[in-house]
């Protein structure tokens, strides 16, 4: 998957595409893979990098949603549990089973959560990730050792263990883009859709701007899908300037802490904090992700920053559950994302808004898909492509994605979800990256002493994963910025030099990239 080759592919496509998708997050990439794997010619355009917006900033849970079970939304939980199983089955290199422990502070909580989670187990049916069980006080202390000293655990009476999925969200998007490519489709990053083309009042394509070379071009399409998440209404307004908004934006933030805050392999799940939120602390790539929050915000932002009340909430709860407040430098990274939630009249607070999705067809046949969750991306895509294909009379073909193995699927990962090779996240591509590292000593060197990533991974990202900027490499091909922002800042010049060599850029470009990335990454460094 290479940008120059993709531009050539688009240039050589001299008839309308069956499907053009706007938006390269989970939803858009899911739609494009669904359409291409049905045999429709498919092009996806992303204004920035794949997963740059919400889809790289999630809590990284492939889950049915214990909270939605509490809310009584059984249909959503059932659907999401089915999709969780499919994600693991189709991308075992990116998704793994994770044990979660819910500590209980009153005797009634153990059977209450215990029975709830037995229902969760039952709903997952054949795609179970493991049976839940009720735990005694001592077992909880062994599983969550650091929590023993904490205030909250002084009244501990036991707990419940259950299982869900955890995954790497940005890498999953890269794998979807590669799968699209493998299926004969095309995905282009840094290409912004500026306008919609219309013929006789019907959407017939898009006018796009290549953000890297400054050119504008038109592509024709039988149907255009708007999968732009928090920007859904902006794109709908390109079609109908007066269209009523369908999306509400809610922000959530996370802190990443050293593993010493939660050693071991179990995650902590707090189903109800004092102010009624759900809180997770989850081991991820050798660190611990703590989050999240849910606050309605007035504007969609590409690079949202944690709000003061969010950082106060996270710090307070880390103190409560891990016995001590983190020092500034122990917050390795602080990042935020914004949820595209379907608007509902009269809903109180965004946490009460459904995570279900909606597909809206405009009078001029723009098909917009909004809402949902990462876990249900594939189902959202299937529904959207079903509607779009019927709308414009594409040959009737069923979705093939329920069992479609994603790029990188490997026998080894499928057999053992706990593969611990540093490159196992690449699945079957790992062999080629290992071979690249072996070519030259410099390629096997790390890009920074505190980061696990090598020069070979940067070269690979530039050659085969359409990484175009230092941010692409450090935030979404590797997860350095999300795991340790200060180290990512220090690694920027090394990465810029490798990219400049690979992409044929000049020293001025290198300096601009380093300065731009450092200024962006400062927002991930926590300073109280
Ligand atoms: C804090 C937080 C935690 C979450 N945790 C979980 C979780 O653990 N599990 C779970 O299942 N879900 C979770 N979610 C939900 C999940 O992350 C989202 O539902 C999902 O990522 C939305 O994907 P999307 O593709 O719709 O949007 P996005 O990822 O935002 O993609 C939309 C894309 O459209 C592009 N775009 C916009 N306008 C244009 C244009 N004019 N031209 C070209 N491209 C354009 C944008 O650049 C963007 O990349 C979480 C969400 C948040 C915010």
């Amino acid at each position: 998957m290479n940008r120059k080759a993709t531009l050539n592919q688009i240039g050589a496509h001299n008839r309308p595409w069956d499907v053009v998708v706007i938006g390269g997050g989970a939803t858009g990439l899911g739609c494009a893979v669904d359409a291409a794997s049905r045999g429709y010619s498919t092009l996806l355009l992303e204004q920035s990098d794949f997963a740059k917006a919400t889809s790289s900033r999630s809590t990284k849970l492939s889950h049915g949603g214990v909270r939605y079970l509490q809310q009584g939304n059984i249909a959503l939980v059932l659907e999401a549990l089915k999709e969780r199983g499919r994600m693991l089955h189709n991308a075992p290199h990116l998704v793994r089973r994770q044990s979660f422990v819910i500590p209980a502070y009153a005797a009634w909580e153990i059977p209450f959560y215990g029975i709830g989670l037995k229902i969760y187990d039952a709903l997952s049916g054949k795609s179970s990730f493991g049976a839940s069980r009720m735990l005694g006080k001592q077992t909880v202390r062994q599983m969550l050792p650091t929590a023993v000293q904490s205030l909250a655990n002084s009244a501990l009476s036991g707990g419940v263990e259950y299982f869900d999925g955890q995954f790497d969200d940005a890498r999953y998007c890269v794998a979807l883009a590669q799968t699209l490519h493998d299926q004969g489709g095309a995905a282009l990053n840094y290409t912004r859709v500026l306008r919609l083309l219309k013929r006789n009042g019907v959407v017939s394509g898009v006018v796009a701007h290549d953000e890297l070379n400054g050119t504008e071009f038109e592509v024709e399409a039988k149907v255009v899908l708007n999968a732009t998440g928090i920007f859904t209404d902006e794109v709908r307004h390109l079609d109908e300037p007066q269209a009523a908004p369908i999306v509400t934006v809610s922000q959530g933030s996370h802190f990443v802490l050293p593993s010493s805050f939660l050693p071991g392999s179990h995650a902590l799940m707090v189903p109800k904090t004092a102010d009624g939120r759900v809180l997770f602390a989850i081991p991820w790539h050798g660190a611990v992700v703590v989050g999240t929050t849910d606050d309605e915000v007035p504007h969609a932002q590409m690079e949202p920053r944690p709000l003061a009340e969010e950082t106060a909430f996270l710090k307070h709860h880390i103190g409560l559950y891990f016995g001590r407040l983190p020092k500034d430098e122990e917050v390795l990274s602080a990042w935020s994302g914004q949820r595209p939630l379907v608007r509902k009249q009269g809903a109180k607070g965004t946490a009460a808004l459904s995570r279900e999705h909606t597909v809206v067809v405009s009078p001029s046949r723009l098909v917009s898909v909004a809402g949902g969750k990462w876990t249900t991306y594939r189902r959202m895509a299937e529904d959207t492509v079903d509607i779009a294909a019927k709308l414009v009379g594409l040959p009737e073909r069923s979705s093939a994605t329920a069992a479609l193995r994603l790029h990188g699927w490997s026998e080894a990962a499928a057999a053992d979800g706990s593969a611990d090779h540093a490159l196992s996240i690449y699945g079957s591509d790992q062999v080629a990256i290992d071979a690249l590292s072996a070519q030259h000593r410099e390629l096997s060197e790390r890009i920074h002493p505190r980061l696990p990533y090598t020069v070979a991974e940067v070269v690979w990202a530039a050659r085969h994963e359409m990484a175009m900027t230092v941010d692409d490499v450090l935030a979404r091909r590797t997860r350095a910025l999300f795991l340790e922002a200060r180290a990512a800042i220090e690694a920027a010049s090394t990465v810029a030099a490798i990219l400049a060599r690979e992409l044929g850029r000049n020293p001025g470009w290198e300096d601009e990239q380093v300065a731009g990335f450092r200024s962006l990454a400062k927002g991930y460094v926590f300073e109280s």
Side-chain angles (χ1 to χ4, degrees):
M1 193 175 69
N2 167 293
R3 198 166 187 276
K4 214 181 255 173
T6 304
L7 279 169
N8 290 340
Q9 184 186 355
I10 297 168
H13 192 93
N14 50 14
R15 55 189 195 284
W17 294 85
D18 289 331
V19 180
V20 164
V21 182
I22 316 174
T27 311
L29 286 161
C31 287
V33 169
D34 193 289
S37 56
R38 292 185 201 211
Y40 304 145
S41 61
T42 306
L43 169 66
L44 178 141
L45 303 174
E46 162 56 47
Q47 66 178 355
S48 175
D49 185 30
F50 308 122
K52 167 73 179 180
T54 310
S55 295
S56 58
R57 300 157 187 280
S58 77
T59 310
K60 291 132 192 35
L61 293 177
S62 174
H63 63 161
V66 173
R67 181 155 66 95
Y68 313 124
L69 189 65
Q70 270 178 334
Q71 291 170 351
N73 195 342
I74 303 286
L76 176 64
V77 176
L78 251 178
E79 178 174 292
L81 284 171
K82 209 181 270 177
E83 292 305 323
R84 178 189 75 168
R86 287 172 172 152
M87 284 176 78
L88 178 65
H89 189 260
N90 296 332
H93 51 307
L94 295 162
V95 184
R96 60 185 193 91
R97 290 183 181 82
Q98 172 66 51
S99 145
F100 289 79
V101 176
I102 301 181
Y105 300 107
W108 65 266
E109 286 182 343
I110 305 177
F112 178 77
Y113 293 122
I115 292 166
L117 286 158
K118 284 291 168 207
I119 297 174
Y120 195 68
D121 290 350
L123 290 174
S124 64
K126 275 194 248 152
S127 51
S128 166
F129 273 35
S132 62
R133 59 181 180 131
M134 297 185 210
L135 307 169
K137 208 185 323 196
Q138 286 315 324
T139 315
V140 174
R141 289 194 165 136
Q142 279 159 14
M143 291 168 98
L144 304 174
T146 41
V148 178
Q149 313 141 19
S150 84
L151 253 184
N153 280 285
S154 58
L156 184 75
S157 64
V160 182
E161 181 188 29
Y162 74 99
F163 295 86
D164 244 328
Q166 194 212 31
F167 73 116
D168 188 320
D169 48 8
R171 291 284 337 164
Y172 201 108
C173 277
V174 173
L176 282 171
Q178 291 170 313
T179 307
L180 171 62
H181 178 81
D182 297 345
Q183 295 286 328
L188 198 62
N189 57 7
Y190 294 100
T191 309
R192 181 178 171 74
V193 169
L194 300 176
R195 293 185 295 281
L196 298 173
L197 295 171
K198 286 189 183 173
R199 194 173 296 139
N200 302 325
V202 173
V203 174
S204 60
V206 302
V207 179
H209 184 256
D210 185 328
E211 306 276 306
L212 299 185
N213 69 18
T215 56
E216 213 171 282
F217 62 97
E218 292 186 357
V219 280
E220 288 192 69
K222 294 182 184 157
V223 66
V224 175
L225 309 185
N226 168 17
T228 52
I230 52 173
F231 306 101
T232 301
D233 290 316
E234 283 181 25
V235 173
R236 288 179 74 241
H237 289 158
L238 299 178
D239 174 37
E240 289 179 280
Q242 307 305 329
I246 58 169
V247 163
T248 290
V249 180
S250 133
Q251 177 158 317
S253 293
H254 297 87
F255 276 1
V256 175
L257 303 176
S259 62
S260 56
F261 275 81
L262 185 65
S265 58
H266 304 283
L268 165 74
M269 195 269 196
V270 180
K272 202 167 187 181
T273 58
D275 50 359
R277 305 189 204 194
V278 179
L279 189 79
F280 291 98
I282 313 168
W284 189 59
H285 291 320
V288 181
V289 175
V290 183
T292 181
T293 48
D294 197 335
D295 295 294
E296 188 167 352
V297 289
H299 305 294
Q301 279 176 293
M302 208 59 177
E303 274 289 349
R305 292 279 160 262
L307 306 167
E309 55 267 35
E310 292 182 298
T311 57
F313 170 86
L314 291 172
K315 264 190 107 162
H316 172 73
H317 283 87
I318 290 165
L320 199 60
Y321 286 96
F322 298 112
R324 69 184 182 88
L325 292 174
K327 297 183 199 118
D328 283 7
E329 62 275 18
E330 286 178 313
V331 179
L332 302 176
S333 181
W335 36 271
S336 306
Q338 295 185 333
R339 302 174 185 84
L341 301 176
V342 178
R343 265 176 197 260
K344 198 168 150 197
Q345 293 301 325
K348 279 202 194 108
T350 46
L353 280 181
S354 166
R355 268 48 174 172
E356 280 160 39
H357 63 274
T358 186
V359 181
V360 176
V361 181
S362 80
S364 51
R365 294 193 184 167
L366 174 69
V367 179
S368 299
V369 49
K373 335 194 294 163
W374 229 119
T375 313
T376 53
Y377 84 93
R378 193 210 62 82
R379 181 56 203 270
M380 295 166 70
E382 178 176 340
D383 289 352
T384 310
V385 177
D386 277 349
I387 290 170
K390 207 166 175 184
L391 181 75
V392 299
L394 294 178
E396 204 180 312
R397 291 173 196 149
S398 311
S399 170
T401 52
L404 182 76
R405 292 172 178 176
L406 297 197
H407 183 94
W409 187 96
S410 83
E411 204 82 58
D416 173 15
S418 61
D420 59 1
H421 187 293
L423 301 179
S424 60
I425 197 93
Y426 295 96
S428 55
D429 283 348
Q430 181 188 316
V431 181
I433 302 170
D434 274 335
L436 185 64
S437 299
Q439 277 175 15
H440 198 282
R441 204 165 60 88
E442 188 225 3
L443 287 161
S444 61
E445 280 168 10
R446 292 196 179 194
I447 55 170
H448 186 279
R450 290 203 306 283
L451 294 172
Y453 309 111
T454 61
V455 173
E457 288 179 81
V458 182
V459 170
W460 181 263
R463 289 186 192 167
H464 303 289
E465 297 182 340
M466 220 183 268
M468 304 307 294
T469 70
V470 170
D471 178 40
D472 296 351
V473 170
L474 287 171
R476 291 168 298 280
R477 302 305 182 281
T478 73
R479 305 310 309 270
L481 178 61
F482 286 76
L483 287 165
E484 207 184 330
R486 291 174 188 84
I489 289 172
E490 288 161 16
S493 51
T494 304
V495 171
I498 303 166
L499 277 185
R501 204 169 57 223
E502 285 297 319
L503 303 174
R505 305 285 197 257
N506 60 32
W509 179 88
E510 231 176 284
D511 294 344
E512 257 173 47
Q513 282 289 311
V514 173
F517 179 76
R518 287 190 175 151
S519 129
L520 177 149
K522 269 191 200 145
Y524 292 66
V525 173
F526 178 70
E527 274 164 2
S528 53

